[in-house]
Amino acid sequence: MKVKILLPLLLSILALLTSCSPMNDGSQKRRIAKISSPEEEVAATTDTTPYIILNQEVINCSETPKCHLESFNEPVSNNKLNSIIYADSDIMSGNNINEAPAISFVVKELDPSTIMTTSMKYIKKDSLGEIIIQNNDIEINNEVDNYTVPIHSSILGSGILISAPYEKHVLNIKIKTSDNKNHEFYLELFIASNTINPVLIERDAQIINSPYYKMDEVLDTFLIDSISLKNTLPFAVVVDGEINITNETSAFLLETHKVQQKSFLPKQNGYPYDMYNWYTSTASEYSSATAEPTYLIKLEKNGTEEELPISTNYNGPESILLYSDVEIEGNQNIKINVYANYTINNNLIGDHGQMSLFEGKSICSSVTPYSRCTCFFAPPDLQDDSLTALLFYNSANTIMLNIQNLYYPNCGNSVPNGLVTQQLSIVSYPQKTISLIGRLHHTDAKYTITSWLKGYKEQDGFGSTTNTMDTLESEKGNTNAGLLNPALSYMGYIPGLL
């Protein structure tokens, strides 16, 4: 009985289950939701991270003996060049940028079509990791998923040209994509370069033939030194300079003047007057005149000069001349001409003042221009005992008595010719006479320049170079300094040729 009841019920349940199964007859279908596994969930929601692969081969380096690589004994990494680039400066700064050593890298896991801009900042670090140079961002271009960066001064600045192996060069790569994402990467390089300063300093050897040293012209302004600045790079550089200069010209002078002298003549036979012989002699002293100049600098390019603004600091006899922002084109040679301006002393050479001296004989032991007439006149010394001589002598003696109270030169007609003779005269000579007998020129100069690649002055420079020049000296005439009287000296340039 139970079997008969359960059998129809079981058949009904089976029929119901059969009607609910998926079919192709358009009948009702039952959908069952699928639940993902944990592994499938992570794979669907995680983004890939872009990264950079740096090519370990340097372009334009293995093909020439002027550039080569020396590898580190370190594992190769994606963002570090595991070798030192050794390149001559002419390769590092070659005129053709396509011939310069270059690095290349690719960006992985980043759709190139989404890249909006790619920029690069060059950073130079010392051995302790301190930043010593950091340039501004510059844009670089992607060429078929590959970036090429020339190791070149016009791209990275002049700091790259003065690299030591222990200094680290970092390229900070920044990529901005169309979905407003910013990706930042760092590449490391090591470079060795032999460039210290691309500007060479040389003195023009012909400067010794200028009028200042040859002393063959009288000028207000003399060219005292000339140097050339040669840019060995094919790129323009700017230069700041400092000139430490000590320059002077010394004139050697001879000063002469007359000295009054006299000697006593004892009484002679038959002549009762004492006589004195008055005469002059020449005294000489050596003096100097020293001229300390002011300066101006002229910049000479292609044979044309223009004055260069300078500032001057004085340190005793030394002057420090400063100039800035002198531009030198690629492979150009320019000149820095140093001129000295002197204060001319036109009134020194020649006679100065007048003085009265005596020449001849006198019966007075002391005379002045206003002494008694008897000091200037005397009876003729005939040295004869004849009656005629005695007559003349007595007559002259009478005249002498008549004029003894008169003063020279107002003796008047009381002195007739023949009986009394004038034996003492007043003569005029220059109080002193100055003549140029020698000249000495002396120049000591030290030149310091600091140079930058044009456009990079605010970021990094090549450094400073100092060149101390040989002393320039010339002399003419008598320049015996041991003869100079230090109490006699003048200031100012003394014109005149020797």
Side-chain angles (χ1 to χ4, degrees), residues 396-417:
N397 190 44
T398 301
I399 295 174
M400 295 296 295
L401 292 175
N402 292 333
I403 66 173
Q404 66 179 347
N405 294 320
L406 299 179
Y407 291 89
Y408 187 87
N410 299 315
C411 304
N413 296 325
S414 301
V415 185
N417 280 335

Side-chain angles (χ1 to χ4, degrees), residues 332-399:
Q332 188 180 33
N333 190 15
I334 68 172
K335 279 190 175 182
I336 297 288
N337 295 326
V338 183
Y339 288 86
N341 298 313
Y342 289 101
T343 300
I344 302 295
N345 195 331
N346 280 317
N347 302 318
L348 196 57
I349 302 298
D351 296 338
H352 295 265
Q354 294 290 318
M355 62 187 304
S356 296
L357 300 173
F358 303 97
E359 289 185 351
K361 294 180 180 179
S362 171
I363 62 173
C364 303
S365 61
S366 177
V367 293
T368 68
Y370 302 101
S371 295
R372 294 180 183 274
C373 289
T374 52
C375 294
F376 289 83
F377 294 86
D381 183 9
L382 300 180
Q383 295 295 322
D384 192 344
D385 293 333
S386 68
L387 181 61
T388 302
L390 180 61
L391 178 62
F392 272 94
Y393 176 78
N394 288 332
S395 299
N397 190 44
T398 301
I399 295 174

Side-chain angles (χ1 to χ4, degrees), residues 95-133:
N95 204 18
N96 186 353
I97 195 170
N98 295 320
E99 296 178 357
I103 62 168
S104 62
F105 63 89
V106 294
V107 181
K108 295 293 187 180
E109 303 298 343
L110 185 62
D111 184 0
S113 65
T114 65
I115 296 176
M116 300 295 292
T117 60
T118 303
S119 64
M120 177 188 69
K121 177 185 289 185
Y122 167 64
I123 303 169
K124 183 177 179 179
K125 296 183 178 182
D126 62 17
S127 59
L128 299 178
E130 298 293 331
I131 295 177
I132 53 180
I133 291 174

